[in-house]
Amino acid sequence: MSAITHLQFLESEAIYILRETAAQFQKPALLFSGGKDSIVMAWLARKAFYPSKLPFPLLHVDTGHNFPEAMEYRDWFVQEIGATLTIGLVQKSIDDGRVQEEKGHNASRNKLQTVTLLDTIEEHQYDACLGGGRRDEEKARAKERFFSHRDEFGQWDPKNQRPELWNIFNGRKHFGEHFRVFPLSNWTEMDIWQYIRQENIPLPSLYFSHQRKIIERHGQFLDASTGIIPLLDEEKPKVKEMTIRFRTVGDATCTGAVESTASTIDEIVAEVAAARQTERGTRADDKRSETAMEDRKKEGYF
């Protein structure tokens, strides 16, 4: 009897957690951004419940500042797997006075997503949201358990988490509380790419090398093609065409690119293996303070 590979182990673990979520909660949803982690999670969910359809909808919190390629992929993927899509709009939260848009050329809607997410959870009465967070991404995410409790205000207390001995998960909660569930907690960025290669999972074109207009700001290569990021007058002459790709896909105002000629999965795997910068090192939202991610998560962020 041959031993299973590490990817088979991770796949088995994630599918077990997806099935546990469907069994323990009455109305879960799967957070879907069109990024590689949520794509892999939706792919695993399809395997977990095949030949039935997904027993929960995909939930996208739309900042209105998304890359067009990610939105095209999202709509194609939802149709491809026959899923139901729920969308929470940050613009609606702004129009309703629930959040106030940031001002200035560094303004971002990334932090505003938290209120939209919590409002959408409340509106649809979701009692668990599956997220694609991985422990290797960022130190706050390394503190997460598979089943992460949120209080009635959607807040996370990293010092008050439940033990998960022998992979026994406790999804009990009081009325108004909910859980975030992270089936990919033990995966690394490399595992994600190797699994994408193994399963031949299609991805948005943003992940592959392409030419794009870029402005370098605070050491980050930000998109200057879509017009989403406002440019200062002195920055406009500095916009240059570069050969780049994105390691993460999120709100365009805070998602930086990396210079890359990797145009195939094999080339990306080789690039990730040699990389000396962390994946989240390209994200401006994590650089606002030393505890930026943990502060957002405590408030109810993904």
Side-chain angles (χ1 to χ4, degrees):
M1 184 175 174
S2 60
I4 65 171
T5 67
H6 80 287
L7 287 181
Q8 288 172 326
F9 173 83
L10 291 171
E11 179 188 67
S12 174
E13 180 183 65
I15 286 176
Y16 170 67
I17 294 166
L18 285 159
R19 289 173 175 164
E20 274 292 298
T21 304
Q24 292 200 33
F25 297 97
Q26 294 183 343
K27 196 174 182 183
L30 188 153
L31 297 169
F32 188 81
S33 65
K36 65 184 185 309
D37 299 321
S38 60
I39 291 169
V40 165
M41 195 164 56
W43 188 271
L44 288 163
R46 188 166 70 163
K47 276 192 168 187
F49 303 103
Y50 185 83
S52 299
K53 288 190 174 182
L54 298 188
F56 36 70
L58 306 187
L59 168 57
H60 180 220
V61 176
D62 184 351
T63 65
H65 289 165
N66 302 291
F67 291 102
E69 297 95 328
M71 293 299 92
E72 289 171 14
Y73 180 91
R74 179 199 69 182
D75 295 339
W76 171 82
F77 186 79
V78 167
Q79 188 171 11
E80 178 70 15
I81 67 172
T84 302
L85 177 66
T86 300
I87 301 175
L89 297 171
V90 172
Q91 184 61 53
K92 182 176 184 302
S93 299
I94 295 170
D95 294 342
D96 291 346
R98 295 280 295 146
V99 294
Q100 187 170 10
E101 190 146 32
E102 295 180 357
K103 300 186 185 304
H105 71 288
N106 287 317
S108 172
R109 289 183 172 182
N110 190 60
K111 191 173 187 293
L112 310 186
Q113 295 179 92
T114 300
V115 171
T116 306
L117 171 61
L118 295 177
D119 286 350
T120 306
I121 290 172
E122 174 70 18
E123 178 185 351
H124 295 274
Q125 292 293 294
Y126 295 131
D127 56 358
C129 286
L130 291 148
R134 310 186 321 265
R135 289 180 178 136
D136 77 319
E137 284 183 272
E138 204 276 340
K139 53 185 179 295
R141 287 191 164 161
K143 298 178 182 177
E144 285 279 18
R145 300 287 168 84
F146 287 107
F147 275 34
S148 181
H149 174 263
R150 297 294 190 274
D151 67 16
E152 63 270 35
F153 300 106
Q155 297 172 322
W156 175 59
D157 181 359
K159 295 181 180 177
N160 184 25
Q161 299 193 80
R162 298 174 180 180
E164 295 181 333
L165 303 176
W166 306 291
N167 274 2
I168 297 174
F169 304 114
N170 180 0
R172 293 185 180 180
K173 58 181 177 49
H174 294 295
F175 181 78
E177 298 175 344
H178 70 275
F179 273 77
R180 305 290 170 81
V181 183
F182 301 102
L184 306 183
S185 289
N186 286 337
W187 295 54
T188 65
E189 182 187 13
M190 178 62 83
D191 296 328
I192 292 291
W193 281 110
Q194 289 178 335
Y195 189 73
I196 288 169
R197 178 171 62 183
Q198 172 183 290
E199 298 290 305
N200 196 26
I201 302 174
L203 292 176
S205 58
L206 289 164
Y207 281 113
F208 301 95
S209 178
H210 60 281
Q211 291 285 311
R212 182 173 287 262
K213 291 180 180 176
I214 294 292
I215 180 65
E216 185 174 357
R217 182 185 288 174
H218 308 311
Q220 291 188 303
F221 297 135
L222 298 174
D223 166 76
S225 294
T226 60
I228 294 173
I229 297 176
L231 299 178
L232 299 171
D233 288 340
E234 57 266 34
E235 287 181 324
K236 292 175 182 175
K238 299 178 182 176
V239 172
K240 52 187 176 182
E241 194 90 5
M242 294 179 64
T243 303
I244 58 94
R245 72 175 192 87
F246 291 89
R247 287 177 73 179
T248 69
V249 172
D251 186 273
T253 59
C254 59
T255 302
V258 293
E259 289 188 281
S260 172
T261 57
S263 56
T264 68
I265 300 292
D266 284 338
E267 290 174 350
I268 291 173
V269 168
E271 185 182 272
V272 170
R276 289 295 174 265
Q277 182 186 35
T278 64
E279 181 183 3
R280 300 279 309 185
T282 61
R283 296 292 292 262
D285 47 330
D286 290 350
K287 296 181 182 298
R288 291 195 168 193
S289 77
E290 179 65 23
T291 59
M293 172 65 87
E294 183 159 331
D295 292 342
R296 293 201 305 276
K297 286 180 70 65
K298 285 179 178 176
E299 295 171 357
Y301 188 71
F302 303 98

Coordinates of all heavy atoms in Angstrom, one line a residue, residues 17 20-22 24-31 41 56 59 117-118 120-122 125-132 144-157 160-164 168-183 297 300-302:
I17 N -13.0 19.0 6.4 CA -13.5 20.2 7.0 C -14.7 20.8 6.3 O -15.7 21.3 6.9 CB -12.3 21.2 7.2 CG1 -11.3 20.6 8.1 CG2 -12.8 22.6 7.7 CD1 -10.0 21.4 8.1
E20 N -17.6 18.7 7.3 CA -17.9 19.0 8.7 C -18.7 20.3 8.8 O -19.7 20.5 9.5 CB -16.7 19.2 9.6 CG -16.2 17.9 10.1 CD -17.1 17.3 11.1 OE1 -17.3 17.9 12.2 OE2 -17.6 16.2 10.9
T21 N -18.3 21.3 8.0 CA -19.0 22.6 8.0 C -20.5 22.4 7.5 O -21.4 23.0 8.1 CB -18.3 23.6 7.1 OG1 -16.9 23.7 7.5 CG2 -18.9 25.0 7.1
A22 N -20.6 21.7 6.4 CA -22.0 21.5 5.9 C -22.8 20.7 6.9 O -24.0 20.9 7.0 CB -21.9 20.7 4.5
Q24 N -22.4 20.7 10.3 CA -22.6 21.3 11.6 C -23.4 22.6 11.6 O -24.0 23.0 12.6 CB -21.3 21.6 12.3 CG -20.5 20.3 12.8 CD -19.5 20.7 13.8 OE1 -19.6 21.6 14.6 NE2 -18.4 19.9 13.8
F25 N -23.4 23.2 10.4 CA -24.1 24.6 10.3 C -25.3 24.5 9.4 O -25.3 23.7 8.4 CB -23.1 25.6 9.8 CG -21.9 25.8 10.8 CD1 -20.7 25.1 10.5 CD2 -22.0 26.6 11.9 CE1 -19.6 25.3 11.4 CE2 -21.0 26.8 12.8 CZ -19.8 26.1 12.5
Q26 N -26.2 25.4 9.7 CA -27.5 25.3 9.0 C -27.4 26.1 7.7 O -28.1 25.8 6.7 CB -28.6 25.9 9.8 CG -28.9 25.0 11.0 CD -30.1 25.6 11.8 OE1 -30.5 26.8 11.7 NE2 -30.7 24.8 12.7
K27 N -26.6 27.2 7.7 CA -26.6 28.1 6.5 C -25.2 28.6 6.3 O -24.9 29.8 6.5 CB -27.6 29.2 6.6 CG -27.9 29.9 5.3 CD -29.0 30.9 5.4 CE -29.3 31.5 4.0 NZ -30.4 32.5 4.1
P28 N -24.2 27.8 5.8 CA -22.9 28.3 5.5 C -22.8 29.0 4.2 O -23.7 28.9 3.3 CB -22.0 27.1 5.6 CG -22.9 26.0 5.3 CD -24.3 26.4 5.7
A29 N -21.7 29.7 4.0 CA -21.4 30.3 2.6 C -19.9 30.2 2.4 O -19.1 30.1 3.4 CB -21.9 31.7 2.6
L30 N -19.5 30.2 1.2 CA -18.0 30.1 0.9 C -17.6 31.5 0.3 O -18.1 31.9 -0.7 CB -17.8 29.0 -0.2 CG -16.4 28.6 -0.5 CD1 -16.3 27.2 -0.9 CD2 -15.7 29.5 -1.5
L31 N -16.7 32.2 1.0 CA -16.2 33.5 0.6 C -15.4 33.3 -0.7 O -14.4 32.5 -0.7 CB -15.4 34.1 1.7 CG -16.1 34.4 3.0 CD1 -15.2 34.8 4.1 CD2 -17.1 35.5 2.8
M41 N -10.5 26.4 -3.0 CA -11.4 26.0 -2.0 C -12.8 25.6 -2.7 O -13.4 24.6 -2.3 CB -11.7 27.1 -1.0 CG -12.4 26.6 0.3 SD -12.2 27.7 1.6 CE -12.9 29.2 0.9
F56 N -23.9 25.2 -0.5 CA -23.8 26.6 0.1 C -23.5 27.5 -1.1 O -22.9 27.1 -2.1 CB -22.8 26.7 1.2 CG -21.6 25.9 1.0 CD1 -20.6 26.2 0.1 CD2 -21.3 24.8 1.9 CE1 -19.5 25.4 -0.1 CE2 -20.2 24.0 1.7 CZ -19.3 24.3 0.8
L59 N -20.0 33.6 -1.8 CA -20.2 35.0 -1.3 C -19.0 35.9 -1.7 O -17.9 35.6 -1.2 CB -20.4 35.0 0.2 CG -20.5 36.4 0.9 CD1 -21.5 37.3 0.3 CD2 -20.7 36.2 2.4
L117 N -19.2 42.9 4.7 CA -19.2 41.4 5.0 C -20.2 41.1 6.1 O -21.0 40.2 6.0 CB -17.8 40.9 5.3 CG -17.7 39.5 5.8 CD1 -18.2 38.5 4.8 CD2 -16.3 39.2 6.2
L118 N -20.0 41.8 7.3 CA -20.9 41.6 8.4 C -22.3 41.8 8.1 O -23.2 41.1 8.6 CB -20.4 42.4 9.6 CG -19.0 42.0 10.1 CD1 -18.6 42.9 11.3 CD2 -18.9 40.6 10.6
T120 N -23.8 41.6 5.2 CA -24.3 40.6 4.3 C -24.5 39.3 5.1 O -25.5 38.5 4.8 CB -23.2 40.3 3.2 OG1 -22.9 41.6 2.5 CG2 -23.8 39.3 2.1
I121 N -23.6 39.0 6.0 CA -23.8 37.8 6.9 C -25.1 37.9 7.6 O -25.9 37.0 7.7 CB -22.6 37.6 7.8 CG1 -21.4 37.2 7.0 CG2 -22.9 36.6 8.9 CD1 -20.1 37.2 7.9
E122 N -25.4 39.1 8.2 CA -26.6 39.3 9.0 C -27.8 39.3 8.1 O -28.8 38.7 8.4 CB -26.5 40.7 9.6 CG -27.7 41.2 10.3 CD -28.0 40.4 11.6 OE1 -27.0 39.8 12.1 OE2 -29.1 40.4 12.1
Q125 N -28.3 35.7 7.1 CA -28.3 34.8 8.3 C -27.3 33.6 8.1 O -27.6 32.5 8.5 CB -29.7 34.3 8.6 CG -30.6 35.4 9.1 CD -30.2 35.9 10.5 OE1 -30.3 35.1 11.4 NE2 -29.8 37.1 10.6
Y126 N -26.2 33.9 7.5 CA -25.1 32.9 7.4 C -24.6 32.6 8.8 O -24.2 33.5 9.5 CB -24.0 33.3 6.4 CG -24.5 33.5 5.0 CD1 -24.1 34.6 4.3 CD2 -25.2 32.5 4.3 CE1 -24.5 34.8 3.0 CE2 -25.6 32.7 3.0 CZ -25.3 33.8 2.3 OH -25.7 34.0 1.0
D127 N -24.4 31.3 9.1 CA -23.9 31.0 10.4 C -22.4 30.5 10.3 O -21.8 30.2 11.4 CB -24.8 30.0 11.2 CG -25.0 28.7 10.4 OD1 -24.6 28.6 9.2 OD2 -25.7 27.8 10.9
A128 N -21.9 30.4 9.1 CA -20.5 30.0 9.0 C -20.0 30.5 7.6 O -20.8 30.3 6.6 CB -20.3 28.5 9.1
C129 N -18.9 31.1 7.5 CA -18.3 31.5 6.3 C -17.0 30.9 6.0 O -16.0 31.0 6.8 CB -18.1 33.0 6.2 SG -19.7 33.9 6.0
L130 N -16.9 30.1 5.0 CA -15.6 29.4 4.7 C -14.7 30.4 4.0 O -15.0 31.0 3.0 CB -15.9 28.2 3.7 CG -16.7 27.1 4.3 CD1 -17.6 26.4 3.2 CD2 -15.7 26.0 4.9
G131 N -13.5 30.5 4.5 CA -12.5 31.4 4.0 C -11.2 30.7 3.5 O -10.9 29.6 3.9
G132 N -10.5 31.3 2.5 CA -9.3 30.7 1.9 C -8.1 31.1 2.6 O -7.0 30.9 2.1
E144 N -5.1 31.6 13.7 CA -6.4 31.1 13.5 C -6.5 29.6 13.6 O -5.6 28.8 13.4 CB -6.9 31.4 12.0 CG -7.3 32.8 11.8 CD -8.7 33.2 12.3 OE1 -9.2 32.4 13.1 OE2 -9.2 34.2 11.9
R145 N -7.7 29.1 14.1 CA -8.0 27.7 14.2 C -8.8 27.4 12.9 O -9.2 28.3 12.2 CB -8.8 27.4 15.4 CG -8.1 27.7 16.7 CD -7.0 26.7 17.0 NE -6.1 27.1 18.0 CZ -6.4 26.9 19.3 NH1 -7.5 26.3 19.7 NH2 -5.5 27.3 20.3
F146 N -9.1 26.1 12.6 CA -9.9 25.8 11.5 C -11.3 26.3 11.6 O -11.8 27.0 10.7 CB -10.0 24.2 11.3 CG -8.8 23.6 10.8 CD1 -8.0 22.8 11.6 CD2 -8.4 23.7 9.5 CE1 -6.8 22.2 11.2 CE2 -7.2 23.1 9.0 CZ -6.4 22.3 9.9
F147 N -11.9 26.1 12.8 CA -13.2 26.7 13.1 C -12.9 27.9 14.0 O -12.5 27.8 15.2 CB -14.1 25.7 13.9 CG -14.8 24.8 13.0 CD1 -14.3 24.3 11.8 CD2 -16.1 24.3 13.4 CE1 -15.0 23.4 11.0 CE2 -16.8 23.4 12.6 CZ -16.3 23.0 11.4
S148 N -13.2 29.1 13.5 CA -12.8 30.3 14.2 C -14.1 31.1 14.7 O -14.9 31.5 13.8 CB -12.0 31.2 13.3 OG -11.7 32.4 13.9
H149 N -14.3 31.2 16.0 CA -15.5 31.7 16.5 C -15.6 33.2 16.3 O -14.6 33.9 16.5 CB -15.6 31.4 18.0 CG -16.8 32.0 18.7 ND1 -16.6 33.2 19.5 CD2 -18.1 31.6 18.8 CE1 -17.8 33.5 20.0 NE2 -18.7 32.6 19.6
R150 N -16.8 33.8 16.0 CA -17.0 35.2 16.0 C -18.2 35.5 16.9 O -19.2 34.8 16.9 CB -17.3 35.7 14.5 CG -16.2 35.5 13.5 CD -15.0 36.4 13.9 NE -14.0 36.4 12.8 CZ -13.0 35.6 12.7 NH1 -12.9 34.6 13.6 NH2 -12.1 35.7 11.8
D151 N -18.1 36.6 17.7 CA -19.1 36.9 18.6 C -20.3 37.6 17.9 O -20.3 37.7 16.6 CB -18.6 37.8 19.8 CG -18.2 39.2 19.3 OD1 -18.5 39.6 18.2 OD2 -17.5 39.8 20.1
E152 N -21.3 38.1 18.6 CA -22.5 38.6 18.0 C -22.2 39.9 17.2 O -23.1 40.4 16.5 CB -23.6 38.9 19.0 CG -23.3 39.9 20.1 CD -22.6 39.2 21.3 OE1 -21.8 38.3 21.1 OE2 -22.9 39.7 22.5
F153 N -21.0 40.5 17.4 CA -20.6 41.7 16.7 C -19.7 41.3 15.5 O -19.1 42.2 14.9 CB -20.0 42.7 17.6 CG -20.9 43.2 18.7 CD1 -20.7 42.7 20.0 CD2 -22.0 44.0 18.5 CE1 -21.5 43.1 21.1 CE2 -22.8 44.4 19.5 CZ -22.6 44.0 20.8
G154 N -19.5 40.1 15.3 CA -18.6 39.6 14.2 C -17.1 39.7 14.6 O -16.2 39.5 13.8
Q155 N -16.8 40.0 15.9 CA -15.4 40.2 16.3 C -14.7 38.9 16.6 O -15.4 37.9 17.0 CB -15.4 41.1 17.6 CG -16.0 42.5 17.3 CD -16.1 43.3 18.6 OE1 -16.5 42.7 19.6 NE2 -15.8 44.5 18.5
W156 N -13.4 38.9 16.4 CA -12.5 37.7 16.7 C -11.6 38.0 17.9 O -11.0 39.1 17.9 CB -11.7 37.4 15.4 CG -10.7 36.3 15.6 CD1 -10.9 35.0 15.9 CD2 -9.3 36.5 15.4 NE1 -9.7 34.4 15.9 CE2 -8.7 35.2 15.6 CE3 -8.4 37.5 15.0 CZ2 -7.3 34.9 15.4 CZ3 -7.1 37.3 14.9 CH2 -6.5 36.0 15.1
D157 N -11.6 37.1 18.8 CA -10.7 37.2 20.0 C -9.6 36.1 19.8 O -9.9 35.0 20.1 CB -11.5 37.0 21.3 CG -10.6 37.2 22.5 OD1 -9.3 37.4 22.3 OD2 -11.1 37.1 23.6
N160 N -9.0 33.7 22.8 CA -10.1 32.9 23.2 C -10.6 32.0 22.1 O -11.7 32.2 21.6 CB -11.3 33.8 23.7 CG -12.4 33.0 24.3 OD1 -12.2 31.9 24.8 ND2 -13.6 33.6 24.3
Q161 N -9.8 31.0 21.8 CA -10.2 30.1 20.7 C -10.3 28.7 21.3 O -9.7 28.3 22.3 CB -9.1 30.1 19.6 CG -8.9 31.5 19.0 CD -8.1 31.4 17.7 OE1 -8.6 31.1 16.7 NE2 -6.9 31.8 17.8
R162 N -11.1 27.9 20.6 CA -11.4 26.6 21.1 C -10.3 25.6 20.6 O -9.8 25.7 19.5 CB -12.8 26.2 20.5 CG -13.9 27.1 21.0 CD -15.2 26.8 20.4 NE -16.2 27.7 20.9 CZ -17.5 27.7 20.5 NH1 -17.9 26.8 19.6 NH2 -18.3 28.5 21.0
P163 N -10.0 24.6 21.5 CA -9.0 23.6 21.2 C -9.6 22.7 20.0 O -10.8 22.5 20.0 CB -8.8 22.8 22.4 CG -10.1 23.1 23.3 CD -10.5 24.4 22.9
E164 N -8.7 22.2 19.2 CA -9.2 21.3 18.1 C -8.3 20.0 18.1 O -7.7 19.7 17.2 CB -9.0 22.1 16.8 CG -10.0 23.3 16.7 CD -9.9 24.0 15.3 OE1 -8.8 23.9 14.7 OE2 -10.9 24.6 15.0
I168 N -11.2 17.4 16.1 CA -12.6 17.4 16.5 C -13.0 18.9 16.6 O -12.4 19.6 17.4 CB -12.8 16.7 17.9 CG1 -12.4 15.2 17.7 CG2 -14.2 16.9 18.4 CD1 -12.5 14.5 19.1
F169 N -14.0 19.3 15.8 CA -14.3 20.7 15.7 C -15.6 21.0 16.4 O -16.6 20.3 16.3 CB -14.4 21.1 14.3 CG -13.1 20.8 13.5 CD1 -13.1 19.8 12.5 CD2 -12.0 21.4 13.8 CE1 -12.0 19.5 11.8 CE2 -10.8 21.1 13.1 CZ -10.8 20.2 12.1
N170 N -15.6 22.1 17.2 CA -16.8 22.5 18.0 C -17.4 23.7 17.3 O -16.9 24.8 17.4 CB -16.3 22.8 19.4 CG -17.5 23.2 20.3 OD1 -18.6 23.3 19.9 ND2 -17.2 23.5 21.6
G171 N -18.5 23.5 16.7 CA -19.2 24.6 16.0 C -20.4 25.1 16.8 O -21.3 25.8 16.2
R172 N -20.5 24.8 18.1 CA -21.6 25.3 18.9 C -21.4 26.8 19.1 O -20.4 27.3 19.3 CB -21.6 24.6 20.3 CG -22.0 23.1 20.2 CD -22.1 22.5 21.5 NE -22.4 21.1 21.5 CZ -22.6 20.3 22.5 NH1 -22.4 20.8 23.7 NH2 -22.9 19.0 22.3
K173 N -22.6 27.5 19.1 CA -22.6 29.0 19.2 C -23.9 29.4 19.8 O -24.9 28.7 19.7 CB -22.3 29.6 17.8 CG -23.4 29.2 16.8 CD -23.1 29.8 15.5 CE -24.1 29.3 14.4 NZ -25.5 29.4 14.9
H174 N -23.9 30.7 20.3 CA -25.1 31.3 20.7 C -25.8 32.0 19.6 O -25.1 32.3 18.5 CB -24.8 32.3 21.8 CG -24.3 31.6 23.1 ND1 -25.0 30.8 23.8 CD2 -23.1 31.7 23.7 CE1 -24.3 30.3 24.9 NE2 -23.1 30.9 24.8
F175 N -27.0 32.3 19.8 CA -27.8 33.1 18.7 C -27.1 34.4 18.4 O -26.7 35.1 19.3 CB -29.2 33.3 19.2 CG -30.0 34.1 18.2 CD1 -30.6 33.4 17.1 CD2 -30.3 35.4 18.3 CE1 -31.4 34.0 16.2 CE2 -31.0 36.1 17.4 CZ -31.6 35.4 16.3
G176 N -26.9 34.6 17.1 CA -26.3 35.9 16.6 C -24.8 35.7 16.4 O -24.2 36.6 15.7
E177 N -24.2 34.7 16.9 CA -22.8 34.5 16.7 C -22.6 33.7 15.4 O -23.6 33.1 14.9 CB -22.1 33.7 17.8 CG -22.2 34.4 19.2 CD -21.7 33.6 20.3 OE1 -21.6 32.3 20.1 OE2 -21.4 34.1 21.4
H178 N -21.4 33.7 14.8 CA -21.1 32.8 13.7 C -19.7 32.4 13.7 O -18.9 32.7 14.6 CB -21.5 33.5 12.4 CG -20.6 34.7 12.0 ND1 -20.7 36.0 12.5 CD2 -19.5 34.7 11.2 CE1 -19.8 36.7 12.0 NE2 -19.0 36.0 11.2
F179 N -19.3 31.6 12.7 CA -18.0 31.0 12.6 C -17.4 31.4 11.3 O -18.1 31.5 10.3 CB -18.0 29.5 12.7 CG -17.9 29.0 14.2 CD1 -19.0 29.1 15.0 CD2 -16.7 28.5 14.7 CE1 -19.0 28.6 16.3 CE2 -16.7 28.1 16.0 CZ -17.8 28.2 16.8
R180 N -16.1 31.5 11.3 CA -15.3 31.5 10.0 C -14.6 30.1 10.0 O -14.0 29.7 11.0 CB -14.3 32.6 10.0 CG -14.9 34.0 10.2 CD -15.7 34.5 9.0 NE -16.5 35.7 9.4 CZ -15.9 36.9 9.3 NH1 -14.7 37.0 9.0 NH2 -16.7 37.9 9.7
V181 N -14.5 29.5 8.9 CA -13.9 28.2 8.8 C -12.8 28.2 7.7 O -13.1 28.8 6.6 CB -15.0 27.1 8.4 CG1 -14.3 25.7 8.4 CG2 -16.1 27.1 9.4
F182 N -11.6 27.7 8.0 CA -10.5 27.9 7.1 C -9.9 26.5 6.7 O -8.9 26.0 7.3 CB -9.4 28.7 7.8 CG -9.9 30.1 8.1 CD1 -10.2 30.4 9.4 CD2 -10.0 31.1 7.1 CE1 -10.7 31.7 9.7 CE2 -10.5 32.4 7.4 CZ -10.8 32.7 8.8
P183 N -10.5 25.9 5.7 CA -10.0 24.5 5.3 C -8.6 24.5 4.8 O -8.0 23.4 4.8 CB -11.0 24.1 4.2 CG -12.2 25.0 4.4 CD -11.7 26.3 4.9
K297 N -8.9 41.8 11.5 CA -9.6 40.5 11.8 C -10.4 40.6 13.1 O -11.5 40.0 13.2 CB -8.6 39.4 11.9 CG -8.0 39.0 10.5 CD -7.0 37.8 10.6 CE -7.7 36.6 11.0 NZ -8.6 36.0 10.0
G300 N -13.7 41.8 12.4 CA -14.6 41.0 11.6 C -14.2 40.8 10.2 O -14.9 40.2 9.4
Y301 N -12.9 41.2 9.8 CA -12.4 41.0 8.5 C -12.3 39.5 8.2 O -12.4 38.7 9.0 CB -11.0 41.7 8.4 CG -10.4 41.8 7.0 CD1 -10.9 42.7 6.1 CD2 -9.3 41.1 6.7 CE1 -10.3 42.8 4.8 CE2 -8.7 41.2 5.5 CZ -9.2 42.0 4.5 OH -8.6 42.1 3.3
F302 N -12.0 39.2 6.9 CA -11.9 37.8 6.5 C -10.9 37.0 7.3 O -9.9 37.4 7.7 CB -11.5 37.8 5.0 CG -12.4 38.6 4.1 CD1 -12.0 39.9 3.7 CD2 -13.6 38.1 3.7 CE1 -12.8 40.7 2.9 CE2 -14.4 38.9 2.9 CZ -14.0 40.1 2.5

